[in-house]
Coordinates of all heavy atoms in Angstrom, one line a residue:
M1 N 98.8 66.2 131.1 CA 97.8 66.0 130.1 C 96.4 66.0 130.9 O 96.3 65.3 131.8 CB 98.0 64.7 129.4 CG 96.9 64.4 128.5 SD 97.0 62.8 127.7 CE 98.1 63.2 126.4
W2 N 95.5 66.9 130.4 CA 94.2 67.0 131.0 C 93.3 66.0 130.4 O 93.1 66.0 129.2 CB 93.7 68.4 130.8 CG 92.5 68.7 131.6 CD1 91.2 68.6 131.2 CD2 92.4 69.2 132.9 NE1 90.3 69.0 132.2 CE2 91.1 69.4 133.3 CE3 93.4 69.5 133.9 CZ2 90.7 69.8 134.5 CZ3 93.0 69.9 135.1 CH2 91.6 70.1 135.4
L3 N 92.7 65.1 131.2 CA 91.8 64.1 130.8 C 90.4 64.3 131.2 O 90.2 65.1 132.1 CB 92.3 62.7 131.3 CG 93.7 62.3 130.9 CD1 94.1 61.0 131.7 CD2 93.8 62.1 129.4
P4 N 89.4 63.6 130.6 CA 88.0 63.8 131.0 C 87.8 63.5 132.5 O 87.0 64.1 133.2 CB 87.3 62.8 130.2 CG 88.1 62.6 129.0 CD 89.5 62.8 129.4
K5 N 88.6 62.6 133.1 CA 88.4 62.3 134.5 C 88.8 63.5 135.4 O 88.3 63.7 136.5 CB 89.2 61.0 134.9 CG 90.7 61.2 134.8 CD 91.4 59.9 135.3 CE 92.9 60.0 135.2 NZ 93.6 58.8 135.7
H6 N 89.8 64.3 134.9 CA 90.2 65.5 135.6 C 89.0 66.5 135.6 O 88.7 67.1 136.6 CB 91.4 66.1 135.0 CG 92.6 65.2 135.1 ND1 93.4 64.9 134.0 CD2 93.1 64.5 136.1 CE1 94.4 64.1 134.4 NE2 94.2 63.8 135.7
S7 N 88.4 66.7 134.5 CA 87.3 67.6 134.4 C 86.1 67.2 135.3 O 85.5 68.0 136.0 CB 86.7 67.7 133.0 OG 87.7 68.2 132.1
H8 N 85.9 65.9 135.3 CA 84.8 65.3 136.2 C 85.2 65.6 137.7 O 84.3 65.9 138.5 CB 84.7 63.8 135.9 CG 83.6 63.2 136.7 ND1 83.8 62.5 137.9 CD2 82.3 63.1 136.5 CE1 82.7 62.1 138.4 NE2 81.7 62.4 137.6
T9 N 86.4 65.4 138.0 CA 86.8 65.6 139.4 C 86.7 67.1 139.8 O 86.2 67.4 140.9 CB 88.3 65.2 139.6 OG1 88.4 63.8 139.3 CG2 88.8 65.4 141.1
V10 N 87.0 68.0 138.9 CA 86.9 69.4 139.2 C 85.4 69.8 139.4 O 85.0 70.5 140.3 CB 87.5 70.3 138.1 CG1 87.1 71.7 138.2 CG2 89.0 70.1 138.1
Q11 N 84.5 69.2 138.6 CA 83.1 69.4 138.7 C 82.6 68.9 140.0 O 81.8 69.6 140.7 CB 82.3 68.8 137.5 CG 82.6 69.5 136.2 CD 82.3 71.0 136.2 OE1 81.3 71.4 136.8 NE2 83.2 71.8 135.6
Q12 N 83.0 67.7 140.4 CA 82.6 67.2 141.7 C 83.1 68.1 142.9 O 82.3 68.3 143.8 CB 83.2 65.8 141.9 CG 82.5 64.7 141.2 CD 83.1 63.3 141.4 OE1 84.3 63.2 141.6 NE2 82.3 62.3 141.5
L13 N 84.3 68.6 142.8 CA 84.8 69.4 143.8 C 84.0 70.7 143.9 O 83.7 71.2 145.0 CB 86.3 69.7 143.5 CG 87.1 70.6 144.6 CD1 87.0 69.9 145.9 CD2 88.5 70.8 144.1
K14 N 83.7 71.3 142.8 CA 82.9 72.5 142.8 C 81.5 72.3 143.4 O 81.0 73.1 144.1 CB 82.7 73.0 141.3 CG 83.9 73.7 140.7 CD 83.5 74.1 139.3 CE 84.7 74.7 138.6 NZ 84.3 75.1 137.2
Q15 N 80.9 71.1 143.1 CA 79.6 70.8 143.7 C 79.7 70.7 145.2 O 78.9 71.2 145.9 CB 79.1 69.5 143.0 CG 77.7 69.2 143.5 CD 77.2 67.9 142.8 OE1 77.9 67.2 142.2 NE2 75.9 67.7 143.0
I16 N 80.7 70.0 145.7 CA 80.9 69.7 147.1 C 81.1 71.1 147.8 O 80.5 71.3 148.9 CB 82.1 68.8 147.4 CG1 81.7 67.4 146.9 CG2 82.4 68.8 148.8 CD1 82.9 66.4 146.9
L17 N 82.0 71.9 147.3 CA 82.3 73.2 147.9 C 81.1 74.2 147.9 O 81.0 75.1 148.7 CB 83.5 73.8 147.3 CG 84.8 73.1 147.6 CD1 86.0 73.7 146.8 CD2 85.1 73.0 149.1
S18 N 80.2 74.1 146.9 CA 79.2 75.0 146.8 C 77.8 74.6 147.4 O 77.0 75.4 147.7 CB 78.9 75.4 145.3 OG 78.5 74.2 144.6
N19 N 77.6 73.3 147.6 CA 76.4 72.8 148.1 C 76.3 72.6 149.6 O 75.2 72.8 150.2 CB 76.0 71.5 147.4 CG 75.6 71.7 146.0 OD1 75.2 72.8 145.6 ND2 75.6 70.6 145.2
K20 N 77.4 72.3 150.3 CA 77.3 72.0 151.7 C 78.2 73.0 152.4 O 79.1 73.6 151.8 CB 77.9 70.6 152.0 CG 77.1 69.5 151.4 CD 77.8 68.2 151.7 CE 77.1 67.0 151.0 NZ 77.7 65.7 151.2
P21 N 77.9 73.2 153.7 CA 78.8 74.1 154.4 C 80.2 73.5 154.5 O 80.3 72.3 154.9 CB 78.2 74.2 155.8 CG 76.8 73.6 155.7 CD 76.8 72.8 154.5
V22 N 81.2 74.3 154.1 CA 82.5 73.8 154.1 C 83.1 73.8 155.5 O 83.7 72.8 156.0 CB 83.4 74.6 153.1 CG1 84.8 74.1 153.2 CG2 82.9 74.5 151.7
L23 N 82.9 74.9 156.2 CA 83.4 75.0 157.6 C 82.3 74.8 158.6 O 81.2 75.2 158.4 CB 84.0 76.4 157.8 CG 85.2 76.8 156.9 CD1 85.7 78.2 157.2 CD2 86.4 75.8 157.2
K24 N 82.7 74.2 159.7 CA 81.7 73.9 160.7 C 81.9 74.9 161.8 O 83.1 75.4 162.0 CB 82.0 72.5 161.3 CG 81.0 72.0 162.3 CD 81.4 70.6 162.7 CE 80.6 70.2 163.9 NZ 81.0 68.9 164.4
F25 N 80.9 75.2 162.6 CA 81.1 76.1 163.7 C 81.9 75.5 164.8 O 81.7 74.3 165.1 CB 79.7 76.6 164.3 CG 79.1 77.6 163.4 CD1 77.9 77.3 162.7 CD2 79.5 78.9 163.3 CE1 77.3 78.2 161.8 CE2 78.9 79.8 162.5 CZ 77.8 79.4 161.7
Y26 N 82.7 76.2 165.5 CA 83.5 75.7 166.6 C 82.6 75.4 167.8 O 81.7 76.1 168.2 CB 84.6 76.7 167.0 CG 85.4 76.4 168.2 CD1 86.4 75.3 168.1 CD2 85.3 77.0 169.4 CE1 87.1 75.0 169.2 CE2 86.0 76.6 170.5 CZ 87.0 75.6 170.4 OH 87.7 75.3 171.4
D27 N 82.9 74.3 168.5 CA 82.2 73.8 169.7 C 83.2 73.6 170.8 O 84.1 72.8 170.7 CB 81.4 72.6 169.4 CG 80.6 72.1 170.6 OD1 80.6 72.8 171.7 OD2 79.8 71.1 170.5
S28 N 83.2 74.4 171.8 CA 84.2 74.4 172.9 C 84.2 73.1 173.7 O 85.1 72.8 174.4 CB 84.0 75.5 173.8 OG 82.8 75.5 174.5
I29 N 83.1 72.3 173.6 CA 83.0 71.0 174.3 C 83.7 69.9 173.5 O 84.3 68.9 174.1 CB 81.6 70.7 174.6 CG1 81.0 71.8 175.5 CG2 81.4 69.3 175.3 CD1 79.5 71.7 175.7
V30 N 83.6 69.9 172.2 CA 84.2 68.8 171.4 C 85.7 68.9 171.3 O 86.2 70.0 171.1 CB 83.5 68.9 170.0 CG1 84.1 67.9 169.0 CG2 82.0 68.8 170.0
P31 N 86.4 67.8 171.4 CA 87.9 67.8 171.3 C 88.3 68.3 169.9 O 87.6 68.1 168.9 CB 88.3 66.3 171.4 CG 87.1 65.7 172.1 CD 85.9 66.4 171.7
A32 N 89.4 69.0 169.9 CA 89.9 69.7 168.7 C 91.2 69.0 168.2 O 91.9 68.4 169.0 CB 90.2 71.1 168.9
K33 N 91.4 69.0 166.9 CA 92.6 68.5 166.3 C 93.2 69.5 165.4 O 92.5 70.1 164.6 CB 92.3 67.2 165.6 CG 93.5 66.6 164.9 CD 93.0 65.5 163.9 CE 93.0 64.1 164.5 NZ 92.8 63.1 163.5
L34 N 94.5 69.7 165.5 CA 95.3 70.6 164.6 C 96.1 69.8 163.7 O 96.9 69.0 164.1 CB 96.2 71.5 165.4 CG 97.1 72.4 164.6 CD1 96.3 73.4 163.8 CD2 98.0 73.2 165.6
Q35 N 95.8 69.9 162.4 CA 96.5 69.1 161.4 C 97.3 70.1 160.5 O 96.8 71.1 160.0 CB 95.4 68.5 160.5 CG 96.0 67.4 159.6 CD 94.8 66.6 158.9 OE1 93.9 67.3 158.3 NE2 94.9 65.3 159.0
V36 N 98.6 69.8 160.5 CA 99.6 70.7 159.8 C 100.4 70.0 158.8 O 100.6 68.8 158.9 CB 100.5 71.5 160.8 CG1 99.7 72.4 161.7 CG2 101.3 70.5 161.7
D37 N 100.9 70.8 157.8 CA 101.8 70.2 156.8 C 102.8 71.2 156.3 O 102.5 72.4 156.3 CB 100.9 69.7 155.6 CG 101.7 68.8 154.7 OD1 102.8 68.3 155.1 OD2 101.2 68.6 153.5
A38 N 104.0 70.7 155.9 CA 105.0 71.6 155.5 C 105.6 71.1 154.2 O 106.6 70.5 154.2 CB 106.1 71.8 156.5
P39 N 104.9 71.3 153.0 CA 105.5 71.0 151.8 C 106.7 71.9 151.4 O 107.1 72.6 152.3 CB 104.4 71.1 150.8 CG 103.3 71.8 151.4 CD 103.6 71.8 152.9
K40 N 107.1 71.9 150.2 CA 108.3 72.6 149.9 C 108.3 74.1 150.1 O 109.3 74.7 150.7 CB 108.7 72.3 148.4 CG 110.0 72.9 148.0 CD 110.4 72.4 146.7 CE 111.7 73.1 146.3 NZ 112.7 72.2 145.8
L41 N 107.3 74.9 149.7 CA 107.4 76.3 149.7 C 106.3 77.0 150.6 O 106.3 78.2 150.7 CB 107.2 76.9 148.3 CG 108.3 76.4 147.3 CD1 108.0 76.9 145.9 CD2 109.7 76.9 147.7
V42 N 105.5 76.2 151.2 CA 104.4 76.8 152.1 C 104.3 76.0 153.3 O 104.8 74.9 153.4 CB 103.0 76.9 151.3 CG1 103.1 77.8 150.1 CG2 102.6 75.5 151.0
I43 N 103.6 76.6 154.3 CA 103.2 75.8 155.5 C 101.7 76.1 155.7 O 101.2 77.2 155.4 CB 104.0 76.2 156.8 CG1 104.0 77.7 157.1 CG2 105.5 75.8 156.6 CD1 104.7 78.1 158.4
G44 N 101.1 75.1 156.3 CA 99.6 75.3 156.4 C 99.1 74.4 157.5 O 99.7 73.5 158.0
G45 N 97.9 74.8 157.9 CA 97.2 74.0 158.9 C 95.7 74.0 158.8 O 95.1 74.9 158.2
C46 N 95.1 73.1 159.5 CA 93.6 73.0 159.5 C 93.2 72.6 160.9 O 93.7 71.7 161.5 CB 93.1 72.0 158.5 SG 91.3 71.8 158.4
M47 N 92.2 73.4 161.5 CA 91.7 73.0 162.8 C 90.5 72.2 162.5 O 89.6 72.6 161.7 CB 91.3 74.3 163.5 CG 91.0 74.2 164.9 SD 92.6 73.9 165.7 CE 92.1 73.2 167.2
L48 N 90.4 71.0 163.1 CA 89.3 70.0 162.9 C 88.6 69.7 164.2 O 89.2 69.7 165.3 CB 89.9 68.7 162.3 CG 90.6 68.8 161.0 CD1 91.4 67.5 160.8 CD2 89.7 69.1 159.9
Q49 N 87.3 69.4 164.1 CA 86.5 68.9 165.2 C 85.6 67.8 164.6 O 84.9 68.0 163.6 CB 85.7 69.9 165.9 CG 86.4 70.8 166.8 CD 85.5 71.7 167.6 OE1 84.5 72.2 167.1 NE2 85.9 71.9 168.9
E50 N 85.7 66.6 165.1 CA 85.0 65.4 164.6 C 85.2 65.2 163.1 O 84.3 64.9 162.4 CB 83.5 65.6 164.9 CG 83.2 65.6 166.4 CD 81.8 65.8 166.8 OE1 81.0 66.4 165.9 OE2 81.4 65.4 167.9
G51 N 86.4 65.5 162.6 CA 86.7 65.3 161.2 C 86.3 66.4 160.3 O 86.5 66.3 159.1
H52 N 85.6 67.4 160.8 CA 85.1 68.6 160.0 C 86.0 69.8 160.2 O 86.4 70.1 161.4 CB 83.7 68.9 160.4 CG 82.7 67.8 160.1 ND1 82.3 67.4 158.9 CD2 82.1 66.9 161.0 CE1 81.5 66.4 159.0 NE2 81.4 66.1 160.2
P53 N 86.4 70.5 159.2 CA 87.2 71.7 159.3 C 86.5 72.8 160.0 O 85.3 73.1 159.7 CB 87.6 72.0 157.9 CG 86.5 71.4 157.0 CD 86.0 70.2 157.8
I54 N 87.2 73.5 160.9 CA 86.7 74.7 161.6 C 87.4 75.9 161.0 O 86.7 76.9 160.8 CB 87.1 74.6 163.1 CG1 86.5 73.3 163.7 CG2 86.6 75.9 163.8 CD1 85.1 73.2 163.7
A55 N 88.7 75.8 160.6 CA 89.4 77.0 160.1 C 90.6 76.5 159.3 O 91.2 75.4 159.7 CB 89.8 77.9 161.2
Y56 N 91.1 77.2 158.3 CA 92.3 76.9 157.6 C 93.3 78.1 157.7 O 92.9 79.2 157.9 CB 91.9 76.8 156.1 CG 91.0 75.6 155.7 CD1 89.7 75.9 155.4 CD2 91.5 74.3 155.7 CE1 88.9 74.8 155.0 CE2 90.7 73.3 155.3 CZ 89.4 73.5 155.0 OH 88.5 72.5 154.6
A57 N 94.5 77.7 157.5 CA 95.6 78.8 157.5 C 96.7 78.3 156.6 O 97.0 77.1 156.6 CB 96.1 79.1 158.9
L58 N 97.3 79.3 155.9 CA 98.4 78.9 155.0 C 99.2 80.2 154.8 O 98.7 81.3 154.8 CB 97.8 78.5 153.6 CG 98.7 78.1 152.5 CD1 99.3 76.8 152.7 CD2 98.0 78.2 151.2
R59 N 100.5 79.9 154.7 CA 101.4 81.0 154.3 C 102.6 80.5 153.6 O 103.0 79.4 153.7 CB 101.8 81.9 155.6 CG 102.9 81.2 156.4 CD 103.5 82.3 157.4 NE 104.4 81.8 158.3 CZ 105.8 81.7 158.0 NH1 106.2 82.1 156.9 NH2 106.6 81.3 158.9
S60 N 103.2 81.4 152.8 CA 104.5 81.1 152.1 C 105.7 81.1 153.0 O 105.7 81.9 154.0 CB 104.7 82.1 151.0 OG 103.7 82.1 150.1
L61 N 106.6 80.4 152.7 CA 107.9 80.4 153.5 C 108.7 81.6 153.0 O 108.7 81.9 151.8 CB 108.7 79.1 153.4 CG 108.1 77.9 154.0 CD1 108.9 76.6 153.6 CD2 107.9 78.0 155.5
T62 N 109.5 82.2 153.9 CA 110.4 83.2 153.5 C 111.6 82.6 152.8 O 111.7 81.3 152.9 CB 110.9 84.0 154.7 OG1 111.7 83.2 155.6 CG2 109.8 84.7 155.5
Q63 N 112.4 83.4 152.2 CA 113.6 82.8 151.5 C 114.5 82.1 152.4 O 115.0 81.0 152.1 CB 114.3 83.9 150.7 CG 115.2 83.4 149.7 CD 115.8 84.6 148.8 OE1 115.7 85.7 149.2 NE2 116.2 84.2 147.7
A64 N 114.7 82.6 153.6 CA 115.5 81.9 154.6 C 114.9 80.6 155.1 O 115.6 79.6 155.3 CB 115.8 82.8 155.8
E65 N 113.6 80.6 155.3 CA 112.9 79.4 155.8 C 112.9 78.3 154.8 O 112.8 77.2 155.1 CB 111.4 79.8 156.2 CG 111.3 80.7 157.4 CD 109.9 81.2 157.6 OE1 109.1 81.2 156.7 OE2 109.7 81.7 158.8
E66 N 112.9 78.7 153.5 CA 113.0 77.6 152.5 C 114.2 76.8 152.6 O 114.2 75.6 152.1 CB 112.9 78.3 151.1 CG 111.6 78.9 150.7 CD 111.6 79.5 149.4 OE1 112.5 79.3 148.5 OE2 110.7 80.4 149.1
N67 N 115.3 77.3 153.2 CA 116.5 76.6 153.3 C 116.6 75.7 154.6 O 117.5 75.0 154.8 CB 117.7 77.5 153.3 CG 117.8 78.3 152.0 OD1 117.6 77.7 151.0 ND2 118.2 79.5 152.1
Y68 N 115.5 75.8 155.4 CA 115.5 75.0 156.6 C 115.5 73.5 156.3 O 114.9 73.1 155.3 CB 114.2 75.3 157.5 CG 114.2 76.6 158.2 CD1 115.2 77.5 158.1 CD2 113.1 76.9 159.0 CE1 115.1 78.7 158.8 CE2 113.0 78.1 159.7 CZ 114.0 79.0 159.5 OH 114.0 80.2 160.2
A69 N 116.0 72.7 157.2 CA 115.8 71.2 157.1 C 114.4 70.9 157.3 O 113.6 71.6 157.9 CB 116.7 70.5 158.2
Q70 N 113.9 69.8 156.7 CA 112.5 69.4 156.7 C 112.0 69.3 158.2 O 110.9 69.7 158.5 CB 112.3 68.1 156.0 CG 110.8 67.8 155.8 CD 110.0 68.8 155.0 OE1 110.5 69.5 154.1 NE2 108.8 69.0 155.4
I71 N 112.8 68.8 159.1 CA 112.3 68.6 160.5 C 112.1 70.0 161.1 O 111.1 70.2 161.9 CB 113.3 67.8 161.3 CG1 112.8 67.5 162.7 CG2 114.6 68.6 161.5 CD1 111.8 66.4 162.6
K72 N 112.9 71.0 160.7 CA 112.6 72.4 161.2 C 111.4 73.0 160.6 O 110.7 73.8 161.3 CB 113.9 73.3 161.0 CG 115.0 72.9 161.9 CD 116.2 73.8 161.8 CE 117.3 73.5 162.8 NZ 118.4 74.4 162.8
K73 N 111.2 72.7 159.3 CA 109.9 73.2 158.7 C 108.7 72.6 159.4 O 107.7 73.3 159.5 CB 109.9 72.8 157.2 CG 110.9 73.6 156.3 CD 110.7 73.2 154.9 CE 111.8 73.8 154.0 NZ 111.7 73.4 152.6
E74 N 108.8 71.4 159.7 CA 107.6 70.7 160.4 C 107.4 71.4 161.7 O 106.2 71.7 162.1 CB 107.9 69.2 160.6 CG 108.0 68.4 159.3 CD 106.7 68.3 158.5 OE1 105.6 68.6 159.1 OE2 106.7 67.9 157.4
L75 N 108.4 71.7 162.5 CA 108.3 72.3 163.8 C 107.7 73.8 163.6 O 106.9 74.2 164.3 CB 109.6 72.3 164.6 CG 109.5 73.0 165.9 CD1 108.5 72.3 166.8 CD2 110.9 73.0 166.6
L76 N 108.3 74.4 162.6 CA 107.8 75.8 162.3 C 106.3 75.7 162.0 O 105.5 76.6 162.4 CB 108.5 76.4 161.1 CG 108.1 77.7 160.6 CD1 108.4 78.8 161.6 CD2 108.8 78.1 159.3
T77 N 105.8 74.7 161.3 CA 104.4 74.6 161.0 C 103.6 74.3 162.2 O 102.5 74.9 162.3 CB 104.3 73.4 160.0 OG1 105.1 73.6 158.8 CG2 102.8 73.3 159.5
V78 N 104.1 73.5 163.1 CA 103.3 73.3 164.4 C 103.2 74.6 165.1 O 102.1 75.0 165.6 CB 104.0 72.2 165.2 CG1 103.4 72.2 166.6 CG2 104.0 70.9 164.6
V79 N 104.3 75.4 165.2 CA 104.2 76.7 165.9 C 103.3 77.6 165.2 O 102.5 78.3 165.8 CB 105.7 77.3 166.1 CG1 105.6 78.7 166.6 CG2 106.5 76.4 166.9
F80 N 103.4 77.7 163.9 CA 102.5 78.5 163.1 C 101.0 78.2 163.4 O 100.2 79.0 163.6 CB 102.8 78.3 161.6 CG 101.8 78.9 160.7 CD1 101.7 80.3 160.5 CD2 100.9 78.1 160.0 CE1 100.7 80.8 159.6 CE2 100.0 78.6 159.1 CZ 99.9 80.0 158.9
G81 N 100.7 76.9 163.4 CA 99.3 76.4 163.6 C 98.9 76.8 165.0 O 97.7 77.3 165.2
C82 N 99.7 76.6 166.0 CA 99.3 77.0 167.4 C 99.1 78.5 167.5 O 98.2 78.9 168.2 CB 100.4 76.5 168.4 SG 100.4 74.7 168.5
V83 N 100.0 79.3 166.9 CA 99.8 80.7 167.0 C 98.6 81.2 166.2 O 97.8 82.0 166.7 CB 101.1 81.4 166.4 CG1 100.8 82.9 166.3 CG2 102.3 81.2 167.3
R84 N 98.4 80.7 165.0 CA 97.2 81.1 164.2 C 95.9 80.7 164.8 O 94.9 81.4 164.8 CB 97.4 80.5 162.8 CG 96.3 80.9 161.8 CD 96.2 82.3 161.5 NE 97.4 82.9 160.9 CZ 97.5 83.1 159.7 NH1 96.5 82.9 158.8 NH2 98.7 83.6 159.2
F85 N 95.9 79.5 165.5 CA 94.6 79.0 166.0 C 94.6 79.1 167.6 O 94.0 78.3 168.2 CB 94.4 77.6 165.6 CG 94.3 77.4 164.1 CD1 95.1 76.6 163.4 CD2 93.3 78.1 163.4 CE1 95.0 76.4 162.0 CE2 93.2 78.0 162.0 CZ 94.1 77.2 161.3
H86 N 95.3 80.1 168.1 CA 95.5 80.2 169.6 C 94.1 80.3 170.3 O 93.9 79.8 171.4 CB 96.4 81.3 170.0 CG 95.7 82.7 169.8 ND1 95.7 83.3 168.5 CD2 95.1 83.5 170.6 CE1 95.1 84.5 168.6 NE2 94.7 84.6 169.9
C87 N 93.1 80.9 169.6 CA 91.8 81.1 170.2 C 91.1 79.7 170.4 O 90.2 79.6 171.2 CB 91.0 82.1 169.4 SG 90.7 81.6 167.7
Y88 N 91.5 78.7 169.6 CA 90.9 77.4 169.8 C 91.7 76.5 170.7 O 91.2 75.6 171.3 CB 90.8 76.7 168.4 CG 90.0 77.5 167.4 CD1 90.5 77.9 166.2 CD2 88.7 77.8 167.6 CE1 89.8 78.6 165.3 CE2 87.9 78.5 166.7 CZ 88.5 78.9 165.5 OH 87.7 79.6 164.6
V89 N 93.0 76.7 170.7 CA 93.9 75.7 171.5 C 94.4 76.2 172.8 O 94.8 75.4 173.6 CB 95.1 75.4 170.6 CG1 94.7 74.7 169.3 CG2 96.1 76.5 170.4
Y90 N 94.3 77.5 173.1 CA 94.8 78.0 174.4 C 94.1 77.4 175.6 O 92.8 77.5 175.7 CB 94.7 79.5 174.4 CG 95.3 80.2 175.6 CD1 96.7 80.3 175.7 CD2 94.5 80.6 176.7 CE1 97.3 80.9 176.8 CE2 95.1 81.2 177.8 CZ 96.5 81.3 177.8 OH 97.1 81.8 178.9
G91 N 94.8 76.8 176.5 CA 94.3 76.3 177.7 C 93.5 75.0 177.6 O 92.8 74.6 178.5
R92 N 93.6 74.3 176.5 CA 92.9 73.0 176.4 C 93.8 72.0 175.6 O 94.6 72.4 174.8 CB 91.5 73.2 175.7 CG 91.5 73.8 174.3 CD 90.2 73.9 173.8 NE 89.5 72.7 173.9 CZ 88.5 72.3 173.1 NH1 88.0 73.1 172.2 NH2 87.9 71.1 173.2
P93 N 93.6 70.7 175.8 CA 94.4 69.7 175.1 C 93.9 69.7 173.7 O 92.8 69.7 173.3 CB 94.1 68.4 175.8 CG 92.8 68.7 176.5 CD 92.7 70.1 176.8
V94 N 95.0 69.6 172.8 CA 94.7 69.5 171.4 C 95.6 68.4 170.8 O 96.8 68.3 171.1 CB 95.0 70.8 170.7 CG1 94.9 70.7 169.2 CG2 94.0 71.9 171.2
Q95 N 95.1 67.6 169.9 CA 95.9 66.6 169.2 C 96.4 67.3 168.0 O 95.7 68.0 167.3 CB 95.0 65.4 168.8 CG 95.7 64.3 168.1 CD 94.8 63.2 167.6 OE1 93.6 63.2 168.0 NE2 95.3 62.4 166.8
I96 N 97.7 67.0 167.7 CA 98.4 67.6 166.6 C 98.8 66.5 165.7 O 99.5 65.6 166.1 CB 99.6 68.5 167.0 CG1 99.2 69.6 167.9 CG2 100.3 69.0 165.8 CD1 100.3 70.5 168.4
D97 N 98.4 66.6 164.4 CA 98.8 65.6 163.4 C 99.7 66.3 162.3 O 99.4 67.4 161.8 CB 97.6 65.1 162.6 CG 96.9 64.0 163.4 OD1 97.4 63.5 164.4 OD2 95.7 63.7 163.0
L98 N 100.9 65.7 162.1 CA 101.7 66.1 161.0 C 101.4 65.3 159.8 O 101.5 64.1 159.8 CB 103.2 66.0 161.4 CG 103.7 66.9 162.5 CD1 105.1 66.5 162.9 CD2 103.6 68.3 162.2
K99 N 101.2 65.9 158.6 CA 100.9 65.2 157.4 C 102.1 65.1 156.5 O 102.9 65.9 156.5 CB 99.7 65.8 156.7 CG 98.4 65.6 157.4 CD 98.0 64.1 157.2 CE 96.8 63.8 158.0 NZ 96.3 62.5 157.9

């Protein structure tokens, strides 16, 4: 059921995404954090610096991957994030958060 509070939240989200820069430029001096998640049908990640997003990545799971145990999906997500953001993580320490 769609309520007025939902409409208000969508309007706030539109305002936030359109008024401020959503992505921050990468700084090689600032520590980086890779945040990944593996819900049911997709895997995704976000590269962060000082709590601000640098880049996002998302992909659907293949039919075979959908049958993986959750722990394997989480590991697949970490590998996906490291491969996708290799230009940010290669050769430097990175904190990885599983959500």
Side-chain angles (χ1 to χ4, degrees):
M1 175 184 277
W2 191 265
L3 300 173
K5 67 179 180 179
H6 298 129
S7 296
H8 183 262
T9 303
V10 168
Q11 292 304 319
Q12 283 181 324
L13 184 59
K14 285 180 183 179
Q15 184 179 12
I16 290 169
L17 291 175
S18 63
N19 288 341
K20 297 179 183 177
V22 177
L23 298 177
K24 185 179 171 187
F25 286 109
Y26 176 72
D27 184 355
S28 62
I29 298 171
V30 178
K33 178 193 266 186
L34 176 60
Q35 195 171 50
V36 294
D37 192 16
K40 186 171 177 132
L41 300 175
V42 296
I43 58 176
C46 179
M47 195 72 197
L48 302 166
Q49 283 187 322
E50 298 177 335
H52 299 284
I54 303 300
Y56 296 104
L58 180 74
R59 79 166 176 89
S60 299
L61 293 174
T62 64
Q63 197 170 21
E65 290 169 343
E66 289 177 19
N67 297 324
Y68 286 4
Q70 188 61 34
I71 190 78
K72 288 187 178 184
K73 286 182 189 177
E74 296 290 345
L75 181 58
L76 177 65
T77 306
V78 171
V79 172
F80 168 74
C82 290
V83 169
R84 182 60 62 100
F85 300 124
H86 73 278
C87 59
Y88 301 121
V89 301
Y90 185 76
R92 58 181 306 205
V94 173
Q95 179 183 351
I96 298 177
D97 282 348
L98 296 171
K99 288 290 177 178

